[in-house]
Amino acid sequence: MLLTICAMVCTLIYFTYRFLDIQLSRYGLSAIPQPPVASLIHGHGKMVTRAKRRNKYLDQMRDWTNKYGATIVLHFTGRHFFFTADPLVLRDIATDLKCYRKARGVHNRQFQGQKIVGYNSILSGNGTGWAVKRRSMSHYFAKANMRDIFDAAKPHMEGPILNKWKALVQDGPIAVDLIELLSTTFESYVFCLGFDKLEHTPEEIGFKINEILDAFMPLKTDQEKRLILRYFFNEHKTRVIKTIQSLRSDIKQAVIQRFEELSAPDTEIKSSDMLGHLMEANKTNGERKCEPHEQVEGCIDDAMTVLMVMDNMTKQLAALFLFLSDCPEIQEKMFSELREIPVEKMSDLNNLVYTEKCLLEALRKGPALRRGIRKYMPGLSESGKLGNYRIPESAGSISIWFSEYVMHHNPIWWPEPEVFDPERWQPDFVPEPYSYIPFYVGARSCLAKHMAMMLMKLTLSGIAKNFDIIPAWDGKRKPIISQIPPVLRMNNNLTMEVSAHTPPEMTVTQVS
C-alpha cells in the first residue's frame, strides 16, 4: 500500500514537471533561463515565499537575474510568468505601448468591486483615450508650468502647513510618526491646486488613503492569508469600501462645483489649477466628446490618482529621513544647505545642489514605486522578441514583472548599492540607460515627476529652516522598508523627535 502511494506521488510529480516542460516548449519559451526549481509541484513558489518572509523578495529577484539571465521564467503551481532586469526589455516596455500593456489586475484599481482609481485614469488607462488625456495634462506638468505651481504652493507651505508643524512643537520637542505628519503635508498641497472645495481635511485624506492601501498591500507574507479573512468576510471589508466611497463622493462634489464655476462666462482656468486641467482633459475620450457624467467620473478617477501620487511623495521623503537616520553627517550637511539658501522663487531651488543629490540617492535606494507588471502581446510585436528571445505568437499574452528596486540595487551599475551615498551623483555622472527609473521612462513615465521634485525640495526647505529632526526609536525596532508591496511601505512607524530650530546667531544674542 505504501509503495503504491509513493508510486502515485512520484508519478504526479513527474507528470507535473513534464506538463510545465511541454507547455514551455509548446510556446517556444524553453530557451529562456530559469532558476533551479525547488519543488516540481510548487515550482519557485516556496522559494519566493521564504524570500518574502525574510524581506528579501526583490533581492532574490536581483540575485536570480544576475546569476541566470537578465530575463527569467518562474513557475508557480502550473503557471508561469517572467521577471526581467534587462535594459533592452525595459526600453521596449517604455516605448512599445501596443505590445506592452498595463495589466488590469493591479490592486489600486478597485477593491472588492468598488472602484478606487479605475482602469481609465491618467495612471491606469490604455489606448487612445488615455493617450489624449496624457497629452492634454502634459502641458500642466511640464517644467515650464512649475513656476506657477510653485507660486501657489509656497504660500501654502509657509502658512497652513508650517503652522500645523509649529503647533506640535510649541510646548517643546515631541515624538511623532513622521510618515503621518508628511502625509498631512503633501495631501495639503492639493488644496492650493484646485481641490479647495474638498470637505475632508488633509489629515483625514492621508489617513483614509493609508487605510485603503492597508487593505490590499500586506507588509509580510503571513499577512496575506489573514487579509482574506479580514477584508473579505467581516466588517473591515465594509469599512474600507465606505472609506473609498467617502473620498470619491467628496471629490465628486468638488468636481461638480468646479464645473459650475468654470461654466460662468469669461472664466479661465489658472495655470496652477490641477483640477480644472483634469476637467479639460476628460472632455473627450479620443474618439468622441464625453457626456457630462463621463467627464465627472473621469475626473474622480484622476483625482483619486493624484491623492495616491501625493502619498508616494510622502513615502519618498520618509525613506530619505530613514536613510539619513544612519548618516547624521549627511543630514547635517543637507540641512545646513537648506538653512543657508533662501527659497523665494522657483529658480532658487536650483541652488539646492546637495539636497538634490540626497533626493536622487533616496529615489535610487528606496524608490516609492517598487515593481510593476505588463502584459506582453507577442502577436502585436514587429520583432517578435522579448529582449534576445524570440516569442511565438502562439504564446498569447505573457505577464512580465520588472522592478525599479532591482534595477537600482544591481551592483553591475551601482557600486555598493546598499550604501546611501549622495556623492555618487556628481555633475558628470550619467546612469546607464534604464538602470535608474524612479519615475520610469518613456511614454508611461510619471507625468508629475517635475512637480514631485519641486514639492519635495520646497517641503525640505520649509522643514529644515524651522525644525530639527532626529530619530526617536525609544528602544523599539528601527523601521525597515518592506520588499513585498508594489509601493514603498515601512513595517513600523517612523518615529522622529521634532523640535523648533533655533538659529546659532539667535542663541548667541540671547546669551549676550
Side-chain angles (χ1 to χ4, degrees):
M1 182 67 179
L2 182 61
L3 290 176
T4 303
I5 294 175
C6 290
M8 292 175 63
V9 171
C10 291
T11 302
L12 176 63
I13 293 175
Y14 172 77
F15 280 107
T16 300
Y17 174 78
R18 288 296 300 155
F19 172 77
L20 292 173
D21 190 53
I22 292 170
Q23 287 290 95
L24 290 176
S25 299
R26 174 187 174 188
Y27 295 133
L29 306 178
S30 56
I32 300 179
Q34 59 175 302
V37 177
S39 168
L40 294 181
I41 294 179
H42 298 99
H44 300 96
K46 288 189 175 181
M47 301 170 70
V48 170
T49 299
R50 284 196 295 268
K52 287 181 176 181
R53 286 174 179 163
R54 294 182 290 112
N55 199 38
K56 297 290 184 182
Y57 170 50
L58 295 178
D59 290 334
Q60 180 73 80
M61 295 300 171
R62 176 197 61 194
D63 296 342
W64 277 345
T65 51
N66 280 343
K67 185 174 183 179
Y68 299 105
T71 299
I72 57 176
V73 59
L74 300 173
H75 306 290
F76 291 90
T77 316
R79 296 176 295 111
H80 57 261
F81 73 90
F82 300 88
F83 190 96
T84 186
D86 186 351
L88 292 176
V89 177
L90 292 175
R91 179 201 63 193
D92 292 343
I93 291 175
T95 56
D96 192 347
L97 303 185
K98 183 173 65 173
C99 295
Y100 296 89
R101 299 181 178 180
K102 277 270 190 175
R104 291 186 62 85
V106 182
H107 295 309
N108 66 353
R109 308 305 192 247
Q110 66 172 8
F111 175 76
Q112 290 292 287
Q114 170 60 53
K115 184 193 290 188
I116 304 177
V117 302
Y119 297 99
N120 297 304
S121 74
I122 198 168
L123 169 72
S124 59
N126 285 300
T128 305
W130 167 80
V132 170
K133 184 187 295 189
R134 182 182 173 91
R135 192 180 307 119
S136 175
M137 288 302 297
S138 64
H139 300 291
Y140 176 83
F141 289 111
K143 265 187 175 181
N145 195 45
M146 285 302 105
R147 184 176 63 182
D148 293 333
I149 297 177
F150 173 88
D151 291 341
K154 183 174 182 293
H156 203 69
M157 157 55 79
E158 295 177 342
I161 292 177
L162 285 184
N163 288 340
K164 289 180 181 178
W165 282 64
K166 291 176 180 178
L168 288 174
V169 301
Q170 62 182 356
D171 296 328
I174 184 172
V176 299
D177 179 8
L178 195 62
I179 296 177
E180 183 178 325
L181 192 54
L182 288 172
S183 179
T184 299
T185 297
F186 280 98
E187 299 298 352
S188 292
Y189 282 122
V190 301
F191 286 81
C192 66
L193 299 177
F195 293 85
D196 51 302
K197 304 298 183 182
L198 292 176
E199 293 185 0
H200 283 81
T201 65
E203 292 86 353
E204 291 171 336
I205 293 174
F207 176 81
K208 290 190 174 185
I209 288 294
N210 279 281
E211 184 180 15
I212 294 169
L213 293 175
D214 285 340
F216 54 76
M217 290 189 184
L219 295 173
K220 299 178 181 179
T221 302
D222 57 3
Q223 289 179 334
E224 295 175 354
K225 294 179 180 178
R226 291 203 299 269
L227 279 175
I228 297 176
L229 297 175
R230 182 180 179 188
Y231 291 110
F232 283 57
F233 300 108
N234 62 19
E235 71 276 4
H236 293 282
K237 167 189 170 182
T238 304
R239 189 181 69 196
V240 173
I241 290 176
K242 286 183 177 179
T243 295
I244 299 169
Q245 291 173 342
S246 173
L247 276 178
R248 290 185 64 90
S249 176
D250 191 9
I251 293 170
K252 181 177 182 179
Q253 296 304 316
V255 169
I256 292 174
Q257 289 185 54
R258 292 292 288 128
F259 264 116
E260 294 173 353
E261 292 174 358
L262 293 175
S263 62
D266 301 325
T267 302
E268 295 184 357
I269 299 176
K270 294 181 180 179
S271 56
S272 62
D273 183 359
M274 186 190 300
L275 182 55
H277 284 271
L278 286 174
M279 292 164 63
E280 284 291 311
N282 280 282
K283 281 186 174 180
T284 175
N285 64 4
E287 299 175 353
R288 61 176 176 80
K289 185 177 179 180
C290 291
E291 298 294 330
H293 72 276
E294 294 175 318
Q295 192 175 355
V296 170
E297 192 69 13
C299 286
I300 297 172
D301 293 346
D302 292 332
M304 287 293 289
T305 300
V306 169
L307 298 183
M308 294 283 186
V309 169
M310 289 297 182
D311 185 75
N312 287 345
M313 296 183 203
T314 295
K315 302 305 195 301
Q316 193 62 70
L317 271 199
L320 171 60
F321 279 102
L322 177 64
F323 301 145
L324 292 176
S325 68
D326 292 326
C327 312
E329 69 286 352
I330 294 178
Q331 178 172 328
E332 180 61 33
K333 184 175 180 179
M334 185 185 78
F335 269 44
S336 295
E337 178 187 74
L338 289 164
R339 288 164 178 166
E340 291 171 3
I341 296 177
V343 176
E344 301 298 333
K345 54 186 183 298
M346 172 72 179
S347 58
D348 292 337
L349 296 178
N350 297 329
N351 299 326
L352 301 176
V353 178
Y354 191 72
T355 301
E356 177 158 333
K357 289 181 179 179
C358 291
L359 282 171
L360 292 174
E361 182 67 354
L363 285 161
R364 181 200 67 80
K365 188 178 181 188
L369 301 178
R370 316 287 282 170
R371 54 184 170 87
I373 181 174
R374 294 290 188 272
K375 284 289 186 181
Y376 175 58
M377 316 293 289
L380 300 177
S381 172
E382 294 181 2
S383 65
K385 283 188 173 184
L386 177 64
N388 294 321
Y389 305 102
R390 183 167 296 281
I391 308 297
E393 187 174 343
S394 60
S397 64
I398 299 173
S399 295
I400 301 179
W401 293 77
F402 60 92
S403 169
E404 291 85 347
Y405 175 94
V406 169
M407 301 305 292
H408 295 181
H409 284 250
N410 195 323
I412 296 174
W413 300 301
W414 305 97
E416 298 182 288
E418 301 304 323
V419 175
F420 184 78
D421 181 17
E423 295 300 339
R424 71 173 85 232
W425 297 94
Q426 296 301 319
D428 59 344
F429 172 68
V430 179
E432 289 293 321
Y434 301 96
S435 68
Y436 184 69
I437 50 174
F439 299 108
Y440 205 58
V441 286
R444 281 201 176 274
S445 63
C446 177
L447 271 178
K449 57 188 174 184
H450 299 307
M451 186 181 77
M453 290 297 289
M454 182 269 288
L455 289 180
M456 286 193 289
K457 288 181 183 178
L458 177 62
T459 302
L460 285 172
S461 176
I463 291 173
K465 286 179 172 61
N466 292 276
F467 307 98
D468 293 316
I469 299 179
I470 59 174
W473 313 137
D474 292 332
K476 299 177 182 178
R477 288 189 305 167
K478 176 184 173 182
I480 59 173
I481 297 174
S482 175
Q483 293 194 11
I484 298 177
V487 297
L488 190 149
R489 302 193 68 213
M490 298 183 193
N491 69 335
N492 285 319
N493 293 341
L494 185 62
T495 307
M496 293 281 184
E497 182 183 284
V498 181
S499 58
H501 173 65
T502 304
E505 58 272 15
M506 183 179 298
T507 304
V508 173
T509 304
Q510 290 174 345
V511 172
S512 62

